[in-house]
Amino acid sequence: MSFMNTLMNGTDFDHKSLNALQKVTLRAVVMSFLFFGLVAIEGMIMRMVEVGPKAPIPHMFFHPAHFFSIMTVHPIVGIFGSTYQLVFGAFMFLVPFLTKKPLYSVKIANAVWLLITIGTAMSWIAAFVWQYAPLYTLYWPLPADTNQFSVVGGIVFIVGVALIMVGTLLFIYNIYATIFARVGIHKNKTTKELLISGFGIDGMLNLINKLRGKPPYSKDPALALPVVAIFRGTVDTFLDAIVILSAGILVLVYLIFDASGHPLNVASVDALLYKNYFWWGLDLVADGLVLIYVAGSWYLLATLITGQKLFMENVARAALMLELLVSWMVWSHHLLADQGQPEMMKLISGEMVTAFELLTQGLALFITLVTLWKARPLKMTPPLAYLLGGLVGFGLAVPAAIIQADMGMNRVLHNTQWIIFAHVHIALIVGLYMTLYSAVYVMWPLVTNNTTMFSKKLTWTHFWLYLIGGIGMGAFAGMAGLDGMLRRHLYVHGEFNTLMILAAICGTMVLIAWAIFLFNIVMSVGVKGLIGIFLPAEDKTASYGIEEDDN
Amino acid sequence: MTFASSKELLSFHWMAYSIYAIFIISLIAWFAYNLTRKEKAKSIVRIPFYGYMAFLVAMGVGHHIFTYNSIPWVSQDIMRHHIKPDASYEFEVGNHKWINMPKHVTVQCGQTIKFDVHSRDLVYGFGLFRQDGSMVMQMQVNPGTDVNGILDSNDILWTFNHNGTFDVMSTEYSGPEAYDEKTGDSKMIVEKWLTVQGCKEGGKK
Ligand code: HEM
């Protein structure tokens, strides 16, 4: 087949054969990877600026307002436009698939990806056109500082973020409505049974009964373990959406009053109290839903790859509950450099409870590794390789986090490149995304009706470039942090030049890896197929693999 | 073991974390290799589940106990309101400028100094940096007032055990106006603001 023919038509992809659930999943996945490209380009622009004045990029990027507007939208596009979109798309497919029930509403699922896409685009436009740049942490009163930022830009940005949060709330509604629907295999289950299973209480009771020598509370839990993780992580997703939405409303009120010529006093809101509230919510993304969703994804992937039961399933169920409680109490590790923060909160929430994350994530790593080990010998397929890459990512990033969540270390690590690279980017780019790539490869035959992947070689090239680039970028920029390089600071003279060049080379590897991945996908589904994904589905089925059972 | 300066601590941390990073990457690589092999891999050590859990707990808690005992500024920070400093410097920051800040500060070796910074408008940071760019210490500077309308303090105690000349920088982003629009240089850097003298070559008096 000629190159042009494959580019237009793909390998053997037929978008007309896809049902409504498959199509809505793929729409979110496509948008997510397009946003990933944007985030990688933005990241590389910032990195090149930090390389110094000789870096081969236009000088306009060295302009402070321009540089920081990129830094403001980069995490919005990355976390919401790309990660949320991919995770939500995958879960809106997996929950019906694993519970063998239809998705509550395909219309809502469509609204979710549309709202997140439009919201992300609006925030991006606010930064691009009006250079609104308070950074994603929105530290009070910077987002309401109309001496530095345009009111219109601020309003467009906040409305964009609000749309993302509305999309998030709709996702939550759709997921819970699907889980609690008493149809199919859950026809005879009560809401109470589903709730007990969702919170992992059945796993806990099974463990207690085992210790007391009694028969298990429930031999066959109502919800599969990955669904429990989705259920549990979604609690944090909800709380986080409420916090971000309410902070957005606060900023919006100030901006609107300012625009009407009656500015409110920003000092009425205490900056440290606001920081506590905002970090409580924002941290539910990092230490809450990411870790819980990731643990659940590892368990799912390990069982699907090996075709065997998860090792120590009851412990895993109970640990997910612990993880949820831990995630609500760790936000103070972001405030260890804030001298007004009570020492007791730094000690208990910032250090001690945070240290539990080593335990919960270490446990998830252990259970996943043993499940894989017991199924030896395994073939090194892309899903397995990416899963192992994800484990490496968190194996590096979680201990880095525990080290910096310490009153002694934080004094010299806070707001340095160490935090944002050795910890955050390794956790996101290597840990989270490698896990998500594994899920993409596992789900590929299911959502595309067994479409042949264009090139295995390109898949492996993507894997190695991405893994080495991701770890390398985190390592070199992290080292610059230890040399004193701050994050969220404009360096225009190439102050940390050597390490920045090395980090930029590794960042370029990540960017090229993304382009290779995208090319492989486009060549598999074809341009026509790609467009077809966005056309209405002829088959309105909102489930996968249960039609025959229903007949 | 006691770290006399942040430089010593960060070098130790660099070494320890790099060794750990190489270890965990090698471990997963070894695991991946053996996953695909038909022959059973010989385990080097057999780690029981509860032993592994106990190890994680020991690392999580032990790490803080270690730093509490080896990093002098931890207990000093917690107890700072009960410690009398050798000198205090109180100043403000607002509109991306340091206000009422002394032009230069000279510290004798071993002295404990209190820095008390108040913000009039935004969140800033206060950090001291060596001439090679490495960080001595930093804190966040939040705006806010108490019930009497007095600006809240953001105070830190620091004991200087090594000679040197340090720059001040804001360690938190406070908007693009903190930078020169044309050159991109930070407006909040005060070069060679603090000098420590009287220490021996390797530190301390
Ligand atoms: C090739 C890929 C990427 C590169 C080269 C890159 C690079 C960068 C750079 C240079 C910064 C600014 C650091 C500083 O000086 O403060 C940054 C910040 C950040 N990035 Fe990335 N990044 C990439 C991908 C991602 C992704 C995929 C995400 C999220 C899913 C992400 C999330 C963040 C966050 C949260 C910040 C902090 C922004 C702040 O401090 O306000 N990055 N990144």
Side-chain angles (χ1 to χ4, degrees):
Chain A
M1 221 195 276
S2 74
F3 174 81
M4 278 316 280
N5 193 5
T6 316
L7 178 67
M8 293 315 290
N9 300 308
T11 49
D12 46 10
F13 178 69
D14 176 14
H15 73 86
K16 291 202 184 100
S17 72
L18 303 182
N19 70 24
L21 182 66
Q22 290 168 310
K23 275 205 168 184
V24 75
T25 306
L26 284 173
R27 284 170 198 161
V29 174
V30 170
M31 292 321 299
S32 164
F33 282 112
L34 290 179
F35 279 128
F36 187 92
L38 182 58
V39 83
I41 292 168
E42 288 166 349
M44 277 312 295
I45 293 173
M46 290 188 283
R47 181 53 75 226
M48 295 305 270
V49 169
E50 283 157 353
V51 162
K54 290 204 181 113
I57 49 160
H59 199 261
M60 64 178 180
F61 293 121
F62 287 77
H63 192 280
H66 201 142
F67 179 78
F68 287 110
S69 22
I70 297 178
M71 199 183 287
T72 300
V73 286
H74 168 78
I76 302 285
V77 175
I79 297 171
F80 301 121
S82 182
T83 317
Y84 261 42
Q85 191 101 265
L86 189 57
V87 170
F88 291 180
F91 287 174
M92 280 193 280
F93 179 83
L94 284 172
V95 169
F97 174 64
L98 293 168
T99 57
K100 304 209 178 335
K101 297 192 285 191
L103 181 70
Y104 173 73
S105 164
V106 173
K107 271 201 187 116
I108 293 183
N110 271 312
V112 171
W113 77 260
L114 272 168
L115 280 167
I116 296 182
T117 301
I118 296 169
T120 308
M122 278 180 76
S123 306
W124 191 89
I125 288 166
F128 184 76
V129 177
W130 291 279
Q131 305 206 316
Y132 184 68
L135 300 191
Y136 80 118
T137 40
L138 298 178
Y139 282 162
W140 190 261
L142 192 57
D145 183 358
T146 48
N147 291 327
Q148 293 194 79
F149 306 122
S150 123
V151 174
V152 181
I155 293 175
V156 174
F157 182 89
I158 296 293
V159 171
V161 173
L163 288 184
I164 297 172
M165 290 306 127
V166 173
T168 305
L169 291 173
L170 287 178
F171 157 78
I172 296 165
Y173 183 76
N174 216 7
I175 286 292
Y176 283 148
T178 309
I179 291 177
F180 287 112
R182 301 227 297 277
V183 294
I185 55 165
H186 289 155
K187 207 184 280 171
N188 301 321
K189 297 274 180 211
T190 61
T191 306
K192 187 178 152 200
E193 279 172 314
L194 291 169
L195 259 178
I196 285 183
S197 192
F199 278 110
I201 298 168
D202 48 8
M204 198 106 73
L205 293 175
N206 279 352
L207 278 180
I208 295 170
N209 281 5
K210 196 175 169 192
L211 288 175
R212 293 164 67 198
K214 288 188 168 179
Y217 166 81
S218 154
K219 266 198 187 132
D220 187 18
L223 298 173
L225 184 58
V227 181
V228 175
I230 296 172
F231 180 100
R232 216 73 66 66
T234 305
V235 175
D236 276 356
T237 313
F238 172 72
L239 295 171
D240 152 64
I242 296 297
V243 170
I244 297 182
L245 205 53
S246 56
I249 291 170
L250 177 76
V251 177
L252 206 57
V253 168
Y254 270 79
L255 291 175
I256 290 171
F257 269 88
D258 197 287
S260 71
H262 302 90
L264 300 173
N265 181 8
V266 287
S268 318
V269 177
D270 183 79
L272 184 58
L273 204 63
Y274 172 93
K275 240 186 191 180
N276 270 278
Y277 176 69
F278 196 74
W279 266 123
W280 183 75
L282 203 59
D283 200 50
L284 293 176
V285 179
D287 297 77
L289 63 101
V290 169
L291 293 190
I292 301 176
Y293 281 162
V294 162
S297 306
W298 287 352
Y299 300 152
L300 173 68
L301 292 166
T303 48
L304 289 181
I305 289 168
T306 59
Q308 293 189 7
K309 260 188 81 111
L310 192 78
F311 178 67
M312 298 209 318
E313 186 174 331
N314 282 326
V315 176
R317 275 176 194 271
L320 283 173
M321 182 74 196
L322 180 67
E323 211 155 327
L324 184 72
L325 298 177
V326 167
S327 72
W328 294 346
M329 289 189 275
V330 292
W331 80 98
S332 274
H333 62 232
H334 293 279
L335 299 161
L336 293 176
D338 289 80
Q339 299 301 85
Q341 184 74 352
E343 300 299 327
M344 261 308 156
M345 276 167 80
K346 288 189 185 178
L347 194 69
I348 295 173
S349 152
E351 287 194 345
M352 291 306 170
V353 187
T354 301
F356 261 95
E357 291 187 352
L358 191 64
L359 202 71
T360 50
Q361 214 57 16
L363 182 69
L365 189 98
F366 184 86
I367 291 176
T368 311
L369 288 179
V370 177
T371 306
L372 294 173
W373 193 249
K374 282 174 158 266
R376 261 169 323 140
L378 290 169
K379 196 168 175 284
M380 191 51 72
T381 55
L384 178 57
Y386 282 97
L387 173 60
L388 292 169
L391 298 178
V392 170
F394 280 100
L396 288 167
V398 173
I402 303 299
I403 292 172
Q404 70 211 22
D406 173 87
M407 285 197 232
M409 296 301 298
N410 200 267
R411 182 64 62 218
V412 286
L413 291 178
H414 185 78
N415 262 6
T416 62
Q417 295 274 329
W418 161 272
I419 305 265
I420 198 64
F421 280 93
H423 169 54
V424 178
H425 281 79
I426 294 255
L428 289 171
I429 294 192
V430 187
L432 178 61
Y433 270 96
M434 291 294 252
T435 304
L436 292 175
Y437 278 117
S438 173
V440 166
Y441 282 106
V442 162
M443 286 169 59
W444 176 262
L446 308 178
V447 287
T448 63
N449 290 339
N450 288 315
T451 297
T452 312
M453 191 59 89
F454 171 68
S455 160
K456 280 207 178 84
K457 269 197 193 128
L458 288 183
T459 302
W460 286 109
T461 314
H462 169 258
F463 172 82
W464 286 111
L465 270 178
Y466 190 84
L467 183 69
I468 297 169
I471 294 180
M473 180 167 88
F476 292 124
M479 285 177 201
L482 300 186
D483 286 350
M485 184 176 178
L486 292 173
R487 74 185 272 212
R488 331 179 113 186
H489 185 79
L490 180 55
Y491 291 95
V492 285
H493 302 295
E495 286 87 335
F496 295 87
N497 184 272
T498 314
L499 286 169
M500 286 305 101
I501 291 175
L502 293 169
I505 293 171
C506 294
T508 310
M509 286 166 78
V510 174
L511 189 60
I512 296 174
W514 165 79
I516 289 174
F517 172 80
L518 203 69
F519 177 73
N520 206 13
I521 297 292
V522 173
M523 292 301 279
S524 306
V525 300
V527 174
K528 282 186 192 157
L530 206 58
I531 297 167
I533 288 170
F534 290 89
L535 299 176
E538 282 162 25
D539 176 356
K540 302 291 176 209
T541 311
S543 59
Y544 182 83
I546 54 168
E547 284 77 15
E548 289 133 64
D549 299 3
D550 287 348
N551 291 334
Chain B
M1 185 178 191
T2 309
F3 299 102
S5 76
S6 59
K7 208 159 200 171
E8 274 179 29
L9 173 68
L10 289 172
S11 314
F12 174 81
H13 166 68
W14 193 102
M15 188 63 80
Y17 187 76
S18 300
I19 294 171
Y20 168 74
I22 293 168
F23 165 75
I24 191 79
I25 294 171
S26 317
L27 182 78
I28 306 266
W30 175 88
F31 183 86
Y33 172 68
N34 282 293
L35 265 187
T36 54
R37 275 166 38 114
K38 287 215 173 58
E39 313 91 83
K40 207 169 180 255
K42 280 198 203 97
S43 45
I44 306 159
V45 276
R46 189 161 272 282
I47 306 166
F49 172 66
Y50 291 105
Y52 172 68
M53 285 288 119
F55 172 74
L56 291 181
V57 173
M59 290 314 282
V61 179
H63 157 63
H64 297 307
I65 296 174
F66 171 70
T67 57
Y68 184 84
N69 288 299
S70 59
I71 303 179
W73 54 85
V74 184
S75 54
Q76 182 165 296
D77 201 18
I78 297 171
M79 300 306 293
R80 70 185 182 280
H81 296 130
H82 304 282
I83 298 172
K84 197 171 172 308
D86 295 308
S88 292
Y89 297 97
E90 189 173 348
F91 46 90
E92 290 177 32
V93 56
N95 198 18
H96 313 285
K97 288 186 198 78
W98 303 104
I99 303 160
N100 301 326
M101 188 192 212
K103 283 240 150 27
H104 182 81
V105 169
T106 306
V107 176
Q108 298 305 319
C109 187
Q111 278 191 329
T112 299
I113 309 295
K114 178 176 169 180
F115 302 98
D116 193 350
V117 191
H118 310 269
S119 165
R120 286 187 184 175
D121 44 25
L122 302 161
V123 179
Y124 299 92
F126 170 78
L128 290 178
F129 291 81
R130 297 182 189 86
Q131 297 307 301
D132 65 1
S134 63
M135 185 194 280
V136 177
M137 59 84 161
Q138 52 85 44
M139 67 169 164
Q140 293 271 293
V141 177
N142 291 303
T145 48
D146 67 12
V147 281
N148 302 310
I150 298 168
L151 280 175
D152 283 341
S153 57
N154 302 277
D155 59 329
I156 186 166
L157 279 190
W158 202 259
T159 305
F160 294 89
N161 290 318
H162 290 81
N163 283 349
T165 302
F166 308 134
D167 299 344
V168 166
M169 268 167 88
S170 171
T171 49
E172 184 55 86
Y173 171 73
S174 55
E177 284 187 13
Y179 297 85
D180 185 286
E181 210 185 325
K182 294 218 170 66
T183 62
D185 285 317
S186 170
K187 294 181 195 166
M188 299 192 71
I189 297 184
V190 184
E191 283 177 7
K192 302 187 177 163
W193 182 71
L194 186 146
T195 306
V196 182
Q197 57 189 32
C199 296
K200 283 193 203 144
E201 184 100 353
K204 299 231 168 153
K205 269 196 252 188

